[in-house]
Amino acid sequence: MKEKHVSIRIEQCLALAKASNCPRRKFGALLLDPERNVVLMDGYNGGPRGGGHLCGGESCLRDDKNVESGTRMEIGCHHAEMNVICNCAASGVSTRGAWIFVTGEPCMMCAKLIHHAGITKVIVVGGGYAGANGVQYLTSHGVDVQPVDGPQDPRVTVMT
């Protein structure tokens, strides 16, 4: 894929993240057919479909339960990667051989979904997720992970 197309897809992914209502961090994900350079599905993190403004209806479950960022991934928003893969399943769109652009490293839960969905490449917009992640899981299971520059996660303190 041409570098200019990668840059455009990164911009689209970052724009998707803006649709999230999550008060903690906004993530976007974009699934692409790399042979045709066609977007297959997109998504962002958020509460359950039809379930309210946030993951807990009108409040953030992670805030309500004082869950530290980077831990207990089963509590809170549906992740952007999860939304993309589930939307593909609900719409009959194949994920096999696709690439996914994400605005942060996938957590272990999403890494497993990505791998088992047959996605072959993950383009990670750098500076995203600040917790334990699934990048090692993905690479050890043959999924190509390519970091690219992007906006920094505001939770990460940069020492100068």
Side-chain angles (χ1 to χ4, degrees):
M1 183 178 304
K2 293 180 182 176
E3 191 171 320
K4 75 174 186 176
H5 292 131
V6 170
S7 294
I8 290 166
R9 299 307 183 199
I10 290 168
E11 289 175 25
Q12 288 177 299
C13 198
L14 292 167
L16 283 167
K18 294 176 182 177
S20 172
N21 291 326
C22 181
R24 286 183 166 221
R25 178 80 204 297
K26 298 174 184 308
F27 287 92
L30 187 73
L31 193 72
L32 192 78
D33 176 335
E35 291 183 20
R36 297 181 299 138
N37 189 19
V38 174
V39 174
L40 300 171
M41 194 65 63
D42 61 23
Y44 51 89
N45 62 317
R49 190 176 312 281
H53 185 68
L54 298 172
C55 58
E58 293 307 314
S59 66
C60 172
L61 288 176
R62 296 179 66 77
D63 284 345
D64 292 349
K65 296 176 184 272
N66 294 316
V67 177
E68 181 182 342
S69 290
T71 65
R72 304 281 321 268
M73 303 323 277
E74 74 281 7
I75 298 173
C77 288
H78 292 199
H79 294 187
E81 306 94 322
M82 181 188 305
N83 274 334
V84 166
I85 293 168
C86 290
N87 287 340
C88 284
S91 300
V93 175
S94 177
T95 56
R96 185 171 307 186
W99 292 5
I100 191 168
F101 286 73
V102 294
T103 59
E105 298 92 349
C107 70
M108 183 60 77
M109 181 174 63
C110 287
K112 290 178 180 180
L113 284 171
I114 289 167
H115 170 243
H116 287 279
I119 296 168
T120 58
K121 186 169 188 168
V122 180
I123 295 91
V124 179
V125 179
Y129 185 57
N133 64 62
V135 170
Q136 183 177 0
Y137 175 91
L138 289 166
T139 56
S140 69
H141 286 86
V143 178
D144 184 18
V145 177
Q146 176 186 345
V148 295
D149 288 333
Q152 296 299 299
D153 186 327
R155 293 178 294 164
V156 179
T157 303
V158 179
M159 301 297 234
T160 56

